Amino acid sequence: MPNSIELIDIVWRFSGFDPSGIVIEFEFAGPTSSTETTPFRENAIIGRDQLKCNYAILNHSVSRIHAELKYIYGQGLVISDLGSSNGTFLNDEQITNEYYLLTTGDNVRLGEIELTVSIRS
């Protein structure tokens, strides 16, 4: 894991497939890594609702508002469940509304959607 100074210069990439084989990918940029296509934001909502979520996953097992990603200075990117119906899992462990630190290689499952986390600087 990079040290806390380097955490502002990295991008977290989430990638996977839905059950029908459609690719799901999105990125979350650190404060100094933002680009026009991946702007920095301190938090982002993942869910099925395209109007209320920063990252929409159009699958019936994903709640309208499912989970939150949040950038915490000096720590990195964390994830929290927002009371979803089918749960949010980090490396096969169901998480709650507390924040859980994400690292490269982590597996995040939102309902039946599995995403792998990778980090690039």
Side-chain angles (χ1 to χ4, degrees), residues 22-34:
I22 295 173
V23 174
I24 298 171
E25 289 184 326
F26 59 90
E27 293 184 335
F28 190 102
T32 61
S33 296
S34 75

Side-chain angles (χ1 to χ4, degrees), residues 26-27 29 42 51 73-74 88 106 119:
F26 59 90
E27 293 184 335
E42 288 196 21
L51 297 176
Y73 287 87
T88 301
D106 279 346
I119 297 174

Side-chain angles (χ1 to χ4, degrees), residues 2-106:
N3 67 42
S4 62
I5 294 171
E6 295 169 328
L7 287 173
I8 62 172
D9 293 324
I10 64 177
V11 174
W12 290 263
R13 179 181 203 79
F14 296 80
S15 57
F17 298 91
D18 79 359
S20 65
I22 295 173
V23 174
I24 298 171
E25 289 184 326
F26 59 90
E27 293 184 335
F28 190 102
T32 61
S33 296
S34 75
T35 65
E36 190 173 309
T37 57
T38 309
F40 171 70
R41 51 176 59 97
E42 288 196 21
N43 70 317
I45 303 299
I46 306 169
R48 203 175 62 240
D49 190 317
Q50 294 176 291
L51 297 176
K52 294 182 181 177
C53 297
N54 305 98
Y55 304 111
I57 299 175
L58 305 179
N59 179 276
H60 65 89
S61 70
V62 176
S63 293
R64 284 185 300 253
I65 296 176
H66 198 105
E68 177 186 24
L69 297 172
K70 183 174 184 174
Y71 181 83
I72 299 177
Y73 287 87
Q75 291 184 33
L77 191 64
V78 296
I79 190 168
S80 174
D81 185 78
L82 294 175
S84 65
S85 298
N86 292 315
T88 301
F89 296 80
L90 178 58
N91 300 322
D92 294 323
E93 298 287 328
Q94 188 165 10
I95 65 171
T96 63
N97 61 348
E98 295 180 25
Y99 290 109
Y100 298 83
L101 187 63
L102 294 171
T103 61
T104 195
D106 279 346

